[in-house]
Amino acid sequence: MQLFAVADCNNFYCSCERVFHPELVGKPVVVLSNNDGCVIARSEEAKKLGLKMGDPFFQVRELLERERVAVFSSNYTLYGSMSGRVMSLLSQYTPSLDVYSIDEAFLDLSDMGDSSYIKKYGETIASRVHKATGIPISIGIAPTKTLAKMGSKFAKKYKGYHGCCLIDNYERRQKALRLFPVEDVWGIGRRIAKQLACEGITTAADFARQKESWVRSRFSVTAVRTWKELNGESCIVLSDTGEKKSICTSRSFSGQGINDVGMLEEAVANFAARCAAKLRRQRSCCQGITMFAHTSLFREGVPPRFIQQSVQLSVPTQDTSEIITAAVGMLRENLKAMPEMPLFKKAGVIIWNITSARVVQQDLFDTVDRTKQKALLEAIDEINRHNGHDTVRIATQGTDIRFGLQHEYLSRQYTTNIEDVLVAKIK
C-alpha cells in the first residue's frame, strides 16, 4: 500500500531554543524576526496568552514582560544546524526522504507493513528523533501528502496519538475531513477559503464532497489536485512545489535607516550574494535581477522615496560577482540622480527568470569563461562550507556587516561555533 508520512517539527524555532534552555520547557517562548521586528514563532504556552504570528514586538513587549515570556532573536544558524540533525535521523527510517522546509519532510513508507505496524513505526520515529535531538515532532501518515499533513496536525494537537496519526482507510479519512477546517488544508489559501465560505463550505469534508467539475470550473489546477488528494488520490509531486521561480533577500535597517552610500552598497551587495548562494543550492541560474530600496513609509512630514530597477542579463548566471555587479550598479545609477541622500529604511535584491543550471542558453558574444567561473564558484562554496559563512566574499560586501541586524535577544550558536559550545563542569 502506498503511504506517505509527514514529519513536522513542533514550534521548531522555539523548540531549538528550548533544547539549550531546558528550564523553558512548559513555559511561554517567542522568537522574533529580523531586527527583532515582530513575533514569528510561538510556543503553545505563548499562543494561549493571545500572542499572534506577526505581532509587532513593540506592541506586545509589555505583555511579554508581564507574563515573563522568554524572548529570543532569530538564530538561523542554530535552526539550520538543528534541522540538519533532524533530517539526518529521519533519513534512516525511509528509502526516500524529501525535505520540504527547514522543519518539515516527507517520508515514503509504502509497503512497509500493516496498519498496526506502521502506526508503531511512526511513533518510534517521533520518539527517537525527540530523544536524540530534543526536538518534538508530529507525524502524519496517509495515502496522500495532503492527508498526511492533516494527520501531522492532529498528532500535534492531541497527545493521545503519541506523536503519530495514521489515516489509512475510508472511515479514518472521513472522520479527519469532518474535523478539519478547510482554510487549514494544504493548498487552500486565504482567497480560496473565503470563496468556499461564501458557498457554505467550512470543513475539508464539505470541500471533498463537491464534484470535480464544480472545483475545476471555479479554481486552479492546484485546488483540483488538493480535492483529489482529500479523496484519497495521490497526485502531488514535490517537484510541483519545488524550485523557486524567484528569490528575494531584503532587510529593514535598524533605527531611522541608512544614509551612508558605502553602507547601503555593502547591504545590497550582501543581499545579492545571499540570493546567488540560494540559487546555487537549488542548482539554478537567473537571468533577471531587481534591486529596490525605500525610505520609511511612516515618518511624518517626510515623503517616502523609492528606488526600483531591473535588468536582464544576456546569459543566465549563478555567479555571485555578476549578480552583485548588476545590483550595486543599479543602486549607484539611481543614487546619482538624487539631489541628496535620504535615510533608506529597507533595501533588497530579487532574482527571477530562474532556469535549471543544467540547461543554459549561451550567447555567441559572451566574454566570460563559464567553465572557469563554475570551478571558481564551487571552490569558494566549499571553502565557506568548511570555514564558515562568508569566509571568502566579494570585496564590495565589505569586511564586516556594518548594517547588521538588531539581535538584542540572540542566543549562542551552540552547534556551529566552537566558542559557543556548552561546557559541563564536574564537581
Side-chain angles (χ1 to χ4, degrees):
M1 179 180 181
Q2 184 181 50
L3 285 175
F4 299 100
V6 173
D8 187 7
C9 301
N10 301 346
N11 307 313
F12 181 59
Y13 292 173
C14 295
S15 295
C16 288
E17 300 293 355
R18 279 175 165 171
V19 169
F20 302 97
H21 297 274
E23 72 278 6
L24 296 177
V25 174
K27 297 180 180 179
V29 178
V30 299
V31 175
L32 304 177
S33 64
N34 290 342
N35 276 324
D36 296 342
C38 61
V39 175
I40 59 168
R42 305 156 294 158
S43 66
E44 294 301 321
E45 297 79 9
K47 293 175 184 177
K48 291 177 181 178
L49 295 175
L51 291 163
K52 296 181 176 59
M53 188 72 75
D55 278 345
F57 180 46
F58 74 92
Q59 288 185 358
V60 297
R61 184 193 291 266
E62 186 178 334
L63 171 63
L64 296 173
E65 292 176 350
R66 184 174 68 247
E67 298 294 339
R68 297 183 179 180
V69 178
V71 178
F72 292 93
S73 301
S74 49
N75 188 343
Y76 297 117
T77 301
L78 175 65
Y79 308 152
S81 172
M82 295 300 292
S83 173
R85 296 182 179 205
V86 171
M87 300 308 166
S88 176
L89 281 168
L90 290 175
S91 68
Q92 299 175 18
Y93 295 95
T94 176
S96 176
L97 178 76
D98 288 309
V99 178
Y100 181 63
S101 65
I102 192 172
D103 63 345
E104 194 172 11
F106 288 93
L107 296 79
D108 187 350
L109 302 183
S110 301
D111 303 319
M112 295 188 68
D114 59 18
S115 294
S116 59
Y117 177 81
I118 288 293
K119 177 69 165 66
K120 189 65 178 177
Y121 192 72
E123 292 176 2
T124 300
I125 295 173
S127 174
R128 289 182 178 175
V129 170
H130 188 195
K131 183 177 180 179
T133 66
I135 303 295
I137 69 171
S138 300
I139 295 178
I141 304 175
T144 74
K145 295 181 176 68
T146 302
L147 290 171
K149 283 182 72 72
M150 288 176 56
S152 70
K153 291 183 182 295
F154 283 122
K156 183 181 296 186
K157 186 175 182 180
Y158 302 108
K159 293 184 178 180
Y161 283 112
H162 303 291
C164 176
C165 174
L166 175 65
I167 306 173
D168 65 337
N169 58 39
Y170 179 81
E171 290 75 19
R172 287 172 177 165
R173 174 159 57 87
Q174 291 303 313
K175 182 180 179 180
L177 293 173
R178 287 195 300 271
L179 295 173
F180 207 82
V182 71
E183 62 267 21
D184 292 337
V185 174
W186 187 40
I188 301 294
R190 291 182 181 178
R191 182 180 59 82
I192 294 178
K194 288 181 180 179
Q195 289 179 259
L196 293 173
C198 292
E199 301 280 352
I201 298 171
T202 59
T203 68
D206 294 335
F207 182 58
R209 277 195 295 267
Q210 304 305 311
K211 293 182 178 180
E212 182 178 348
S213 58
W214 183 88
V215 179
R216 285 187 180 278
S217 66
R218 287 166 171 78
F219 306 108
S220 67
V221 66
T222 300
V224 175
R225 289 174 182 168
T226 298
W227 177 86
K228 288 182 177 181
E229 292 247 332
L230 292 177
N231 283 290
E233 179 183 348
S234 178
C235 59
I236 293 179
V237 180
L238 286 191
S239 58
D240 295 337
T241 61
E243 296 179 351
K244 297 179 179 179
K245 302 304 180 184
S246 66
I247 297 173
C248 175
T249 301
S250 63
R251 184 171 298 163
S252 294
F253 305 120
S254 59
Q256 291 188 332
I258 291 177
N259 64 352
D260 180 276
V261 174
M263 289 180 68
L264 190 60
E265 286 184 359
E266 281 187 20
V268 170
N270 279 278
F271 300 155
R274 302 289 184 276
C275 287
K278 293 176 183 177
L279 198 62
R280 292 195 294 277
R281 279 199 293 272
Q282 70 173 39
R283 296 179 176 84
S284 299
C285 292
C286 76
Q287 197 164 7
I289 303 171
T290 298
M291 187 285 307
F292 67 89
H294 63 76
T295 60
S296 174
L297 306 178
F298 307 104
R299 289 186 66 190
E300 294 183 3
V302 180
R305 302 285 294 275
F306 296 88
I307 290 176
Q308 181 166 326
Q309 186 175 340
S310 300
V311 66
Q312 280 265 25
L313 304 177
S314 59
V315 179
T317 186
Q318 57 178 207
D319 182 18
T320 301
S321 63
E322 279 191 274
I323 295 174
I324 286 178
T325 298
V328 174
M330 288 186 282
L331 173 66
R332 289 172 177 169
E333 182 180 334
N334 281 271
L335 292 180
K336 284 181 182 178
M338 290 187 171
E340 59 182 18
M341 181 72 173
L343 278 165
F344 285 100
K345 185 62 178 175
K346 186 173 184 177
V349 173
I350 306 170
I351 55 177
W352 42 278
N353 200 354
I354 292 175
T355 57
S356 172
R358 295 188 296 272
V359 184
V360 174
Q361 179 64 50
Q362 301 294 329
D363 187 314
L364 181 62
F365 303 103
D366 186 15
T367 58
V368 178
D369 187 329
R370 300 288 166 178
T371 302
K372 289 185 177 180
Q373 180 194 69
K374 184 172 183 267
L376 176 61
L377 291 171
E378 290 175 350
I380 291 174
D381 287 342
E382 187 67 18
I383 291 171
N384 287 336
R385 271 194 296 271
H386 280 85
N387 297 281
H389 180 65
D390 275 351
T391 300
V392 178
R393 63 172 71 187
I394 304 297
T396 318
Q397 293 178 253
T399 56
D400 60 0
I401 310 300
R402 294 185 291 165
F403 56 90
L405 298 176
Q406 179 178 321
H407 273 159
E408 186 178 346
Y409 308 96
L410 185 65
S411 55
R412 290 153 58 187
Q413 296 177 4
Y414 301 99
T415 60
T416 56
N417 188 335
I418 191 65
E419 300 298 328
D420 290 340
V421 172
L422 290 174
V423 177
K425 295 183 178 180
I426 300 176
K427 294 184 179 180

